[in-house]
Amino acid sequence: MKKLINDPADVIADALAGLAAAHPELRVDQRNRIVLRGDAPVPGKVGLVSGGGSGHEPMHTGFVGPGMLDAACVGEVFTSPVPDQILAATTAVDAGVGVLHIVKNYTGDVMNFEMAAELAAAETGTEVVSVVVNDDVAVQDSLYTAGRRGVGGTVVLEKITGAAAEQRRPLAAVAELARVVNANSRSMGMALTSCTVPAAGKPTFELRVTEMEIGIGIHGEPGRRRVLLTPAREAAEMLLEPILSDLPFAAGDTVICFVNGMGGTPLVELYVMYNEVARILRDHRVSIARSLVGSYVTSLEMAGCSVTLTKVDEDLLRLWDAPVNTSALRWGV
């Protein structure tokens, strides 16, 4: 195992220390392992809290800041944060108008965020609404979740709801917007290699150099099928076919198209994939209104990518275009 770490037991603490040093505009609570925007709680604004296991950076810590999240809770690698962390984050961002929990659909995340919401209501009277993200069309069930997993659609949802919260929309409206984005988002991923969890020291699964895995999860879960390595155009078709048929997307629809790297794939290859995805969408007469290309929801050093399509209207596009100022996403500022 070759990794730029000191000790596997110290990876998260060391990474948070580095984040704090690189981004003094943030507040990093090492004890509770939460990352907060520096001005939280923001008066009159709904607080947005998300989080999950480490290893998916920049999700979620890279999305803390004006226009997106107020706090992110950091678990061990591929492990949910615990209720006490989530409670601390919720309390820290509560400005008296409620807090939205954005929760990816994994069993540990759902359970721990639910417990934290109950504790917040009982101990501080904070109104918390939770929205579960489940945009992955690859599988219905996995080792980590009952039902569909939350993957790339989470980034789109956090950006759009973050903008709505900045506009001082009330909690019920921001939560409903989150449900709309989730309902209109579909994702599918693939891998060329596995990843290695530092504490394990070996790849989560094995792939021959002639193989690729279709439908993988962001924790290194194997996909729905293993196939021979194909050109990008064929790989894009394998990802897009289940996405387009699931919502279903139709001629005349307008989408945000997000091509995401899994951590070990260079940007040049992601743009090759984006070109193929755009070609397929043109053939289906689905219009791309906005695009995002890059490694934003990763699985450590896994090589591969995912595609997310979110069907949008003018309000959702305006919220997507609204200013955002985080360490991983920044525009309009």
Side-chain angles (χ1 to χ4, degrees):
M1 179 180 72
K2 291 183 178 179
K3 290 186 179 291
L4 290 172
I5 62 176
N6 295 311
D7 185 306
D10 298 330
V11 168
I12 308 308
D14 288 351
L16 286 174
L19 181 70
H23 297 283
E25 72 277 10
L26 300 173
R27 299 202 322 263
V28 176
D29 179 347
Q30 277 276 17
R31 185 175 69 84
N32 288 303
R33 291 190 173 179
I34 57 177
V35 178
L36 301 148
R37 56 184 283 180
D39 57 351
V42 181
K45 178 188 169 303
V46 168
L48 267 61
V49 176
S50 192
S54 297
H56 306 306
E57 289 77 15
M59 190 176 75
H60 295 274
T61 54
F63 304 137
V64 175
M68 220 158 168
L69 296 177
D70 293 273
C73 309
V74 181
E76 293 291 338
V77 174
F78 296 170
T79 303
S80 171
V82 298
D84 285 350
Q85 290 177 266
I86 303 164
L87 175 62
T90 302
T91 302
V93 305
D94 179 18
V97 292
V99 175
L100 177 68
H101 284 176
I102 299 170
V103 188
K104 301 187 305 303
N105 190 31
Y106 299 93
T107 302
D109 294 62
V110 172
M111 178 180 67
N112 290 338
F113 271 89
E114 184 177 280
M115 291 175 63
E118 292 173 355
L119 288 169
E123 295 182 9
T124 65
T126 301
E127 182 182 5
V128 178
V129 176
S130 296
V131 173
V132 176
V133 188
N134 59 350
D135 55 304
D136 188 0
V137 304
V139 294
Q140 286 300 115
D141 295 285
S142 77
L143 295 174
Y144 298 89
T145 179
R148 293 184 169 184
R149 304 175 291 217
V151 286
T154 314
V155 178
V156 181
L157 189 152
E158 289 177 354
K159 169 63 187 78
I160 288 174
T161 55
E166 291 290 345
Q167 294 177 356
R168 303 305 192 267
R169 297 191 191 187
L171 178 60
V174 176
E176 180 57 27
L177 187 65
R179 297 185 192 101
V180 168
V181 174
N182 182 59
N184 284 281
S185 296
R186 298 291 187 276
S187 300
M188 180 81 160
M190 57 83 64
L192 302 175
T193 69
S194 181
C195 61
T196 299
V197 175
K202 62 181 181 179
T204 305
F205 60 90
E206 296 290 342
L207 270 178
R208 294 189 179 95
V209 294
T210 57
E211 296 176 326
M212 62 185 191
E213 192 91 6
I214 303 297
I216 50 88
I218 60 173
H219 300 91
E221 308 102 310
R224 58 162 61 172
R225 59 192 173 115
R226 188 166 295 187
V227 300
L228 290 176
L229 188 64
T230 67
R233 68 179 65 88
E234 295 175 27
E237 290 167 358
M238 292 180 193
L239 297 183
L240 263 293
E241 187 281 325
I243 290 174
L244 290 169
S245 62
D246 192 88
L247 191 56
F249 292 88
D253 283 345
T254 300
V255 300
I256 294 170
C257 180
F258 173 26
V259 174
N260 172 67
M262 300 304 296
T265 296
L267 195 56
V268 64
E269 294 177 28
L270 296 180
Y271 277 115
V272 170
M273 282 296 292
Y274 183 88
N275 185 53
E276 298 301 336
V277 169
R279 172 186 58 80
I280 294 168
L281 293 180
R282 284 195 301 271
D283 290 345
H284 285 78
R285 290 184 292 158
V286 172
S287 173
I288 299 176
R290 302 290 186 273
S291 61
L292 183 64
V293 182
S295 296
Y296 294 99
V297 184
T298 62
S299 184
L300 294 169
E301 81 282 17
M302 178 184 284
C305 72
S306 63
V307 177
T308 298
L309 298 182
T310 302
K311 186 160 65 173
V312 291
D313 57 19
E314 288 303 316
D315 184 45
L316 294 183
L317 279 180
R318 281 192 292 270
L319 291 168
W320 177 261
D321 289 340
V324 60
N325 189 9
T326 71
S327 61
L329 278 185
R330 182 178 291 113
W331 60 69
V333 293

